[in-house]
Amino acid sequence: MGSDVIAVPTLNSLSGMQSQVGIEAVYTQPDRARGRGEKVQPNAIKTWAKEHGLPVVQPDGFGNDEIQRLLNLKPDIILVMAYGHLLPQVILDAASQGIYNIHTSLLPKLRGASPVETAVATGMMESGVSLMKLVLKMDAGPICDQERLRITSLETAGSYREKLALASPLLMQRNLSAMLDGSIESEPQDEQAVSYCRLLVKQDGQLDFSQSARVLSNRINGLNPWPGCYALLEGVDLKVGLASWSESDDAYEPGQIVECSTNRVCVGTGEGLLNMLNLQKPGGKMLQAEIFLRGYPINLGLRFVSREMHA
């Protein structure tokens, strides 16, 4: 059960374990309108399943008919990753050897809807993926295994998601046999160490230059590719796709542009200097600063407008 491209490497891994397991069905979200043209298209999970000749089920929810349909499959294991549906208890109890979830954080940290973005946006040095038994309470099940991954310099949520996607199959390779024979071990989560992350919205991309350059840099990189960060300059919202930060002994007005060099647009903040490395004008493409400035010159001394940054 999954609806996001992040689960594709795990599906590829499972399809290569045919001596141990067979995939009876793939559950995913109904087709949605996507892209600029708002054309209804299948997601990456449905596309993968069709290419591999597997039955695809796309319920809007789990009423009696959908519950019975799943029970008729008599699954040994249900594996969930980025599915997007809350599952009732009858589904949690449907598989003879249990239902498991791959979550993209080191639980109990970052339960919730945006663990990858939040890990990068808050400046965490490390996160990872967790294999847990699924329970009714969100992301609260006992943990079976984890794979830890460092968050590197200039990491974006997009680049880190790709690393987590490739790390997730390791959890299945290490644990599938024990999952199938019922011998897998798990430990309850430490409820004292729980943290939560929320659903992101477009307004989370606003930047307040009175914040420190470190905070702003983390926010820009963590919200790339979505919702993306943007800053208002002379009435135009410029999107900022990648940033770094540096210390400064000089005091500049928050938002003041102090340098436009071959590789960055340097901006004053509440503490330190924010280096905008990739920028995009409305209707344009995301470009490295040097290329961006050739077609969109920015004058020194201008100021980006600060706007409220959501916590």
Side-chain angles (χ1 to χ4, degrees):
M1 293 181 170
S3 302
D4 190 282
V5 67
I6 197 170
V8 168
T10 298
L11 281 167
N12 282 329
S13 179
L14 287 172
S15 70
M17 300 179 183
Q18 294 185 25
S19 62
Q20 293 178 271
V21 66
I23 302 174
E24 289 295 305
V26 175
Y27 277 67
T28 192
Q29 290 273 4
D31 296 349
R32 311 284 190 203
R34 306 173 194 278
R36 289 186 178 180
E38 289 294 300
K39 182 180 179 181
V40 176
Q41 302 177 51
N43 63 38
I45 304 303
K46 180 178 179 178
T47 299
W48 183 94
K50 289 294 187 182
E51 289 173 351
H52 289 77
L54 293 170
V56 178
V57 188
Q58 297 178 273
D60 272 321
F62 284 89
N64 291 335
D65 291 344
E66 287 299 341
I67 289 172
Q68 190 57 53
R69 181 176 185 175
L70 188 143
L71 294 176
N72 290 342
L73 291 172
K74 298 181 179 179
D76 297 305
I77 289 173
I78 298 173
L79 180 65
V80 181
M81 186 176 186
Y83 182 31
H85 272 313
L86 292 175
L87 301 174
Q89 187 65 49
V90 65
I91 299 298
L92 301 184
D93 296 335
S96 60
Q97 299 300 324
I99 182 168
Y100 297 85
N101 176 238
I102 297 177
H103 182 73
T104 49
S105 81
L106 296 177
L107 294 168
K109 293 181 180 178
L110 301 184
R111 293 180 184 176
S114 57
V116 181
E117 294 82 0
T118 302
V120 180
T122 57
M124 292 174 61
M125 302 298 292
E126 180 186 61
S127 190
V129 284
S130 300
L131 176 67
M132 69 170 182
K133 294 183 176 179
L134 204 59
V135 297
L136 272 179
K137 187 177 179 181
M138 182 181 66
D139 300 330
I143 298 168
C144 304
D145 194 7
Q146 293 182 321
E147 185 71 19
R148 311 178 82 89
L149 285 172
R150 192 166 67 92
I151 300 174
T152 60
S153 175
L154 295 184
E155 192 86 76
T156 67
S159 65
Y160 196 56
R161 279 173 64 84
E162 291 177 2
K163 294 178 181 179
L164 294 173
L166 295 175
S168 298
L170 299 176
L171 297 174
M172 300 309 299
Q173 293 163 16
R174 292 199 294 259
N175 294 285
L176 182 59
S177 294
M179 291 163 69
L180 287 167
D181 66 21
S183 65
I184 191 167
E185 297 181 355
S186 62
E187 293 186 2
Q189 294 186 36
D190 179 1
E191 292 295 326
Q192 299 302 312
V194 170
S195 62
Y196 291 93
C197 53
R198 59 174 174 79
L199 189 68
L200 298 173
V201 297
K202 182 67 176 176
Q203 288 73 24
D204 288 317
Q206 296 178 170
L207 297 174
D208 177 1
F209 293 93
S210 68
Q211 301 275 338
S212 74
R214 183 199 292 264
V215 167
L216 289 163
S217 174
N218 290 337
R219 175 70 63 103
I220 289 165
N221 298 338
L223 301 192
N224 176 349
W226 198 91
C229 285
Y230 46 92
L232 189 65
L233 182 67
E234 295 194 302
V236 179
D237 261 326
L238 299 180
K239 196 168 185 180
V240 189
L242 189 67
S244 65
W245 68 280
S246 53
E247 296 179 351
S248 175
D249 294 329
D250 298 317
Y252 298 102
E253 289 294 320
Q256 180 184 352
I257 297 169
V258 300
E259 180 186 331
C260 293
S261 66
T262 56
N263 63 352
R264 66 180 182 174
V265 173
C266 190
V267 183
T269 71
E271 181 182 347
L273 292 172
L274 176 69
N275 306 310
M276 297 180 176
L277 305 178
N278 291 352
L279 296 106
Q280 179 181 349
K281 66 181 180 181
K285 295 181 179 180
M286 185 66 69
L287 300 171
Q288 294 178 354
E290 178 183 7
I291 301 172
F292 178 85
L293 291 170
R294 290 178 196 164
Y296 199 99
I298 295 176
N299 296 323
L300 297 182
L302 294 177
R303 287 182 63 183
F304 284 103
V305 176
S306 288
R307 288 181 282 201
E308 179 188 5
M309 275 175 62
H310 295 177

